[in-house]
Amino acid sequence: MSEITVRRVTPEAAAMLAPMTVQRDACAMLGPRIIRDHSSMIGDRRYVHVAGATMLAGMFGYHVREVSADRLEIDGVGGFVATCEIVKDGQVVGRGSAICMDDERMWASRPLYARRAMASTRAAGRALRLLFGHLLPMLGENVATVTREEMPDEH
């Protein structure tokens, strides 16, 4: 003999689940494009680039803005520290900061403006990851919650 269980979702529970359903559907729709055009494999993990994370955020009405990018020195090594915010409807909803140092193998020979820009890109990635990192694995198989720009260049 089998049992039939009927579960009803209360209006309150349905209201709480609705944003997650929208997020899942958006990831299913954008996932293939982001994976194809805005991600890289490192080992057996796929990392979404900041451009892909920005595309995902934009789908939900969020955008990134740079707050600052300043020259700094740590233990005699120069670099840039940048801070970016995530904004929706004029309200700041997230923030991240990051550095790009002059002694990094990938960046040591590049012009100052490029190092400054990378600090800003990393800060944007950090802010996006803090707000949307839980969605990144929904984009595809073995997708990390960290953006590519946050990963060390040695990989």
Side-chain angles (χ1 to χ4, degrees):
M1 185 163 164
S2 63
E3 288 185 34
I4 297 175
T5 303
V6 177
R7 294 184 184 156
R8 293 188 336 164
V9 176
T10 65
E12 295 83 10
M16 287 175 21
L17 292 172
M20 288 185 277
T21 301
V22 170
Q23 290 173 349
R24 182 199 65 216
D25 293 347
C27 287
M29 184 172 58
L30 277 180
R33 174 144 188 230
I34 290 173
I35 295 303
R36 183 188 74 227
D37 298 340
H38 303 291
S39 73
S40 300
M41 289 296 291
I42 300 176
D44 63 347
R45 302 291 306 239
R46 182 163 293 282
Y47 293 85
V48 173
H49 302 174
V50 169
T54 302
M55 182 186 290
L56 183 63
M59 180 89 169
F60 299 111
Y62 296 86
H63 69 274
V64 181
R65 72 176 173 205
E66 182 181 270
V67 176
S68 64
D70 301 305
R71 192 80 176 139
L72 82 154
E73 186 173 309
I74 300 172
D75 295 332
V77 178
F80 286 92
V81 59
T83 301
C84 289
E85 294 177 334
I86 308 296
V87 180
K88 182 170 184 176
D89 300 327
Q91 299 283 31
V92 175
V93 296
R95 177 177 251 208
S97 62
I99 61 174
C100 182
M101 299 301 290
D102 297 346
D103 64 350
E104 292 182 42
R105 190 172 48 104
M106 277 282 291
W107 296 97
S109 64
R110 300 209 181 162
L112 286 177
Y113 73 85
R115 286 179 254 167
R116 180 193 181 284
M118 179 46 74
S120 181
T121 299
R122 289 176 179 171
R126 178 89 175 141
L128 288 161
R129 182 182 69 82
L130 291 171
L131 193 61
F132 292 108
H134 67 287
L135 295 180
L136 296 178
M138 291 185 200
L139 296 174
E141 190 76 20
N142 293 326
V143 176
T145 60
V146 177
T147 58
R148 168 61 185 103
E149 289 81 357
E150 287 189 84
M151 292 300 295
D153 290 326
E154 290 80 42
H155 289 284

Short mmCIF file of all heavy atoms in Angstrom, two decimals, residues 40-67:
data_model
loop_
_atom_site.label_atom_id
_atom_site.label_comp_id
_atom_site.label_asym_id
_atom_site.label_seq_id
_atom_site.Cartn_x
_atom_site.Cartn_y
_atom_site.Cartn_z
N SER A 40 37.23 30.86 -16.89
CA SER A 40 38.47 30.13 -17.19
C SER A 40 38.57 28.92 -16.28
O SER A 40 38.12 28.96 -15.13
CB SER A 40 39.69 31.01 -16.91
OG SER A 40 39.69 32.17 -17.70
N MET A 41 39.21 27.89 -16.80
CA MET A 41 39.49 26.70 -15.99
C MET A 41 40.84 26.87 -15.31
O MET A 41 41.82 27.30 -15.93
CB MET A 41 39.53 25.44 -16.86
CG MET A 41 38.19 24.99 -17.39
SD MET A 41 37.01 24.49 -16.11
CE MET A 41 37.74 22.98 -15.50
N ILE A 42 40.89 26.53 -14.04
CA ILE A 42 42.15 26.42 -13.30
C ILE A 42 42.06 25.08 -12.59
O ILE A 42 41.21 24.91 -11.71
CB ILE A 42 42.33 27.56 -12.27
CG1 ILE A 42 42.33 28.93 -12.95
CG2 ILE A 42 43.63 27.34 -11.48
CD1 ILE A 42 42.41 30.10 -11.98
N GLY A 43 42.89 24.16 -13.01
CA GLY A 43 42.78 22.80 -12.48
C GLY A 43 41.44 22.21 -12.89
O GLY A 43 41.05 22.28 -14.05
N ASP A 44 40.70 21.71 -11.93
CA ASP A 44 39.40 21.12 -12.23
C ASP A 44 38.23 22.04 -11.87
O ASP A 44 37.09 21.62 -11.86
CB ASP A 44 39.24 19.77 -11.53
CG ASP A 44 39.28 19.88 -10.02
OD1 ASP A 44 39.66 20.96 -9.50
OD2 ASP A 44 38.93 18.90 -9.33
N ARG A 45 38.54 23.31 -11.59
CA ARG A 45 37.49 24.27 -11.23
C ARG A 45 37.37 25.35 -12.30
O ARG A 45 38.35 25.74 -12.93
CB ARG A 45 37.82 24.97 -9.89
CG ARG A 45 38.01 24.07 -8.69
CD ARG A 45 36.74 23.42 -8.23
NE ARG A 45 35.68 24.37 -7.99
CZ ARG A 45 35.06 24.53 -6.84
NH1 ARG A 45 35.39 23.82 -5.80
NH2 ARG A 45 34.10 25.41 -6.73
N ARG A 46 36.17 25.83 -12.48
CA ARG A 46 35.91 26.92 -13.43
C ARG A 46 35.70 28.19 -12.60
O ARG A 46 34.98 28.18 -11.62
CB ARG A 46 34.67 26.62 -14.27
CG ARG A 46 34.39 27.71 -15.28
CD ARG A 46 33.45 27.26 -16.36
NE ARG A 46 33.99 26.23 -17.22
CZ ARG A 46 34.86 26.43 -18.21
NH1 ARG A 46 35.31 27.64 -18.47
NH2 ARG A 46 35.28 25.43 -18.95
N TYR A 47 36.34 29.28 -13.05
CA TYR A 47 36.26 30.55 -12.33
C TYR A 47 35.64 31.59 -13.26
O TYR A 47 36.12 31.83 -14.37
CB TYR A 47 37.66 31.01 -11.88
CG TYR A 47 38.21 30.09 -10.82
CD1 TYR A 47 38.89 28.93 -11.17
CD2 TYR A 47 38.02 30.37 -9.48
CE1 TYR A 47 39.37 28.07 -10.20
CE2 TYR A 47 38.51 29.52 -8.50
CZ TYR A 47 39.18 28.37 -8.87
OH TYR A 47 39.65 27.51 -7.90
N VAL A 48 34.59 32.21 -12.79
CA VAL A 48 33.91 33.26 -13.55
C VAL A 48 34.74 34.54 -13.44
O VAL A 48 35.22 34.89 -12.35
CB VAL A 48 32.49 33.48 -12.99
CG1 VAL A 48 31.81 34.68 -13.64
CG2 VAL A 48 31.65 32.22 -13.20
N HIS A 49 34.92 35.24 -14.55
CA HIS A 49 35.63 36.52 -14.55
C HIS A 49 34.70 37.59 -13.99
O HIS A 49 33.48 37.44 -13.99
CB HIS A 49 36.03 36.91 -15.97
CG HIS A 49 36.89 35.90 -16.65
ND1 HIS A 49 37.25 36.01 -17.96
CD2 HIS A 49 37.45 34.75 -16.22
CE1 HIS A 49 38.01 34.99 -18.31
NE2 HIS A 49 38.14 34.20 -17.27
N VAL A 50 35.28 38.68 -13.55
CA VAL A 50 34.49 39.79 -13.02
C VAL A 50 33.45 40.25 -14.04
O VAL A 50 32.33 40.59 -13.68
CB VAL A 50 35.40 40.95 -12.56
CG1 VAL A 50 34.59 42.21 -12.25
CG2 VAL A 50 36.19 40.53 -11.33
N ALA A 51 33.80 40.23 -15.32
CA ALA A 51 32.83 40.63 -16.36
C ALA A 51 31.59 39.75 -16.33
O ALA A 51 30.46 40.23 -16.49
CB ALA A 51 33.48 40.57 -17.75
N GLY A 52 31.76 38.46 -16.09
CA GLY A 52 30.62 37.55 -16.00
C GLY A 52 29.81 37.77 -14.74
O GLY A 52 28.57 37.75 -14.76
N ALA A 53 30.50 38.00 -13.63
CA ALA A 53 29.79 38.28 -12.37
C ALA A 53 29.03 39.60 -12.46
O ALA A 53 27.92 39.73 -11.94
CB ALA A 53 30.78 38.31 -11.20
N THR A 54 29.61 40.57 -13.16
CA THR A 54 28.94 41.86 -13.36
C THR A 54 27.69 41.67 -14.22
O THR A 54 26.65 42.29 -13.96
CB THR A 54 29.90 42.87 -14.02
OG1 THR A 54 31.05 43.02 -13.19
CG2 THR A 54 29.25 44.22 -14.21
N MET A 55 27.79 40.82 -15.23
CA MET A 55 26.63 40.53 -16.07
C MET A 55 25.51 39.91 -15.24
O MET A 55 24.33 40.29 -15.37
CB MET A 55 27.03 39.56 -17.20
CG MET A 55 25.90 39.23 -18.16
SD MET A 55 26.37 37.97 -19.36
CE MET A 55 27.53 38.89 -20.36
N LEU A 56 25.86 38.98 -14.38
CA LEU A 56 24.87 38.34 -13.52
C LEU A 56 24.24 39.36 -12.58
O LEU A 56 23.01 39.41 -12.43
CB LEU A 56 25.53 37.21 -12.73
CG LEU A 56 24.61 36.40 -11.82
CD1 LEU A 56 23.54 35.67 -12.63
CD2 LEU A 56 25.44 35.40 -11.02
N ALA A 57 25.05 40.21 -11.97
CA ALA A 57 24.53 41.23 -11.06
C ALA A 57 23.59 42.18 -11.79
O ALA A 57 22.53 42.56 -11.28
CB ALA A 57 25.69 42.01 -10.43
N GLY A 58 23.98 42.57 -13.01
CA GLY A 58 23.14 43.47 -13.80
C GLY A 58 21.77 42.89 -14.10
O GLY A 58 20.78 43.62 -14.19
N MET A 59 21.70 41.57 -14.23
CA MET A 59 20.42 40.90 -14.47
C MET A 59 19.44 41.18 -13.34
O MET A 59 18.23 41.20 -13.54
CB MET A 59 20.67 39.40 -14.62
CG MET A 59 19.46 38.60 -14.86
SD MET A 59 19.21 38.52 -16.63
CE MET A 59 17.96 37.29 -16.72
N PHE A 60 19.96 41.40 -12.15
CA PHE A 60 19.13 41.66 -10.98
C PHE A 60 19.05 43.14 -10.61
O PHE A 60 18.53 43.50 -9.57
CB PHE A 60 19.65 40.86 -9.78
CG PHE A 60 19.61 39.38 -9.99
CD1 PHE A 60 20.77 38.66 -10.12
CD2 PHE A 60 18.39 38.71 -10.10
CE1 PHE A 60 20.74 37.29 -10.33
CE2 PHE A 60 18.35 37.34 -10.31
CZ PHE A 60 19.52 36.63 -10.43
N GLY A 61 19.60 44.01 -11.46
CA GLY A 61 19.51 45.45 -11.23
C GLY A 61 20.60 46.03 -10.36
O GLY A 61 20.47 47.15 -9.87
N TYR A 62 21.69 45.30 -10.18
CA TYR A 62 22.82 45.78 -9.38
C TYR A 62 23.93 46.27 -10.30
O TYR A 62 24.08 45.75 -11.41
CB TYR A 62 23.39 44.65 -8.51
CG TYR A 62 22.45 44.13 -7.47
CD1 TYR A 62 21.53 43.12 -7.79
CD2 TYR A 62 22.45 44.62 -6.18
CE1 TYR A 62 20.66 42.62 -6.84
CE2 TYR A 62 21.58 44.13 -5.22
CZ TYR A 62 20.68 43.12 -5.55
OH TYR A 62 19.82 42.62 -4.62
N HIS A 63 24.70 47.24 -9.84
CA HIS A 63 25.87 47.65 -10.59
C HIS A 63 27.02 47.92 -9.63
O HIS A 63 26.82 48.09 -8.44
CB HIS A 63 25.59 48.84 -11.51
CG HIS A 63 25.34 50.13 -10.81
ND1 HIS A 63 24.11 50.50 -10.35
CD2 HIS A 63 26.19 51.13 -10.48
CE1 HIS A 63 24.19 51.68 -9.76
NE2 HIS A 63 25.43 52.09 -9.83
N VAL A 64 28.22 47.94 -10.19
CA VAL A 64 29.44 48.14 -9.40
C VAL A 64 29.95 49.53 -9.65
O VAL A 64 29.95 50.01 -10.78
CB VAL A 64 30.53 47.13 -9.83
CG1 VAL A 64 31.79 47.31 -8.99
CG2 VAL A 64 30.02 45.70 -9.72
N ARG A 65 30.41 50.17 -8.59
CA ARG A 65 31.06 51.47 -8.76
C ARG A 65 32.33 51.51 -7.92
O ARG A 65 32.38 51.00 -6.80
CB ARG A 65 30.14 52.63 -8.42
CG ARG A 65 29.85 52.80 -6.96
CD ARG A 65 29.00 54.04 -6.72
NE ARG A 65 28.60 54.13 -5.33
CZ ARG A 65 27.54 54.77 -4.91
NH1 ARG A 65 26.76 55.40 -5.78
NH2 ARG A 65 27.24 54.81 -3.64
N GLU A 66 33.34 52.11 -8.51
CA GLU A 66 34.60 52.27 -7.79
C GLU A 66 34.46 53.43 -6.82
O GLU A 66 33.96 54.49 -7.18
CB GLU A 66 35.73 52.56 -8.79
CG GLU A 66 37.08 52.70 -8.14
CD GLU A 66 38.16 53.03 -9.15
OE1 GLU A 66 38.76 52.08 -9.69
OE2 GLU A 66 38.38 54.23 -9.39
N VAL A 67 34.91 53.20 -5.60
CA VAL A 67 34.87 54.24 -4.57
C VAL A 67 36.23 54.92 -4.45
O VAL A 67 36.32 56.13 -4.31
CB VAL A 67 34.46 53.63 -3.20
CG1 VAL A 67 34.51 54.67 -2.09
CG2 VAL A 67 33.09 53.00 -3.29
#
